[in-house]
Amino acid sequence: MTRKGIRLFGAYVKENIGGIALAICAALMLTALFYLYELPKEPLIYALALVGAIALLPFLLKYAYIKKRHTELEAILNNIAQVLGELPPPHGVLEHDYSDMLKKLDEARNRLTGEYEKEIGDMLEQYTLWAHQIKTPIAAMRLLIQSNASADELAAELFKIEQYVETALCIMRSGGNSPDFVIKNCDVDETVRKCVRKYARLFVLNRLKLELSETHITALTDEKWLAFAIEQALSNALKYTPSGKISIYARGSVLVIADTGIGIAPQDLPRIFERGYTGSNGRGDMKATGIGLYLSKRMLSMLGHAIWAESEPSKGTRIMIDLSRDELEIE
């Protein structure tokens, strides 16, 4: 018997020590009875042999079955990737229970693996698209440098690169079910002014008018992610408004960023907040990544805010952010 076989047999004996002890006790009691009644030894030997055979035969048969099952399961363990359907059929109530547990665990593992692979695939897709998109302002800067362009034009392209990098960082921070939210009362007018100052140079270069009205909204939110959503709306408004103006105002608790740009096609409007969806406008000029609005909606929804769009082709677009929400703990 091999060392592995000895360990298996030892484990089997230890597992059945109660039955072995019971058989030994029965033999001892039988021997004691024969001695007390001074019976002949020959019948005692036959009786002990019979008791031993009755106890030993099922013991050995069960060990042979256990050894066979152990060999089958050990072979599967060496190839753990195989499906549970190839496991030996269960025998007995407990084995059926364990088999059901394994199947449910395997289903949960497959579900989690699928979700993880999808998340990784989506992230790779986003970063691949991001890598292609960031090449555009880099190439533009190279051409501007070669043509001795103005500092303002170079700064505008550098700003686009900074925005792409910021978007990539936001994608990383948005992962998981608990992003780095800091919930507190936020002066929306101050947040809007910060975002507008950030894009001021592009307003000048694009010769677009800005109409900024006080909203007088104090929102319970995460200021960083609210600013990200406002910046995405401003970025799109600047990108798709060749002339005219961009307006920021409030309708009650709803913040509105409106432009007089090219608008959004009716068939695209319901899908502009989907991951990776760029619509006909984005496909036409190859500037859109389909990430910003998706990420804005996702994070605002987690904060309890709604965001939606209203648009008509050639008449402009309005991005609406509802900042009303239930009270939360303020940090």
Side-chain angles (χ1 to χ4, degrees), residues 77-90:
L77 182 63
N78 294 330
N79 185 22
I80 197 65
Q82 77 178 71
V83 295
L84 286 176
E86 296 181 14
L87 287 173

Side-chain angles (χ1 to χ4, degrees), residues 255-303:
L255 179 67
V256 183
I257 298 100
D259 63 62
T260 58
I262 61 177
I264 303 170
Q267 67 271 20
D268 293 334
L269 190 58
R271 300 187 60 190
I272 63 172
F273 293 101
E274 294 180 10
R275 184 202 300 262
Y277 190 79
T278 58
S280 55
N281 292 342
R283 291 191 296 271
D285 63 11
M286 299 300 291
K287 295 178 182 177
T289 61
I291 297 174
L293 288 179
Y294 159 76
L295 197 56
S296 297
K297 184 177 181 65
R298 180 184 171 206
M299 305 312 292
L300 288 177
S301 297
M302 294 177 72
L303 286 164

Side-chain angles (χ1 to χ4, degrees), residues 137-138 140-141 144 151-165:
I138 292 173
M141 286 187 71
L144 289 170
D152 284 342
E153 291 176 311
L154 286 170
E157 296 303 324
L158 179 60
F159 176 76
K160 292 176 184 178
I161 294 174
E162 290 173 345
Q163 291 305 103
Y164 280 124
V165 172

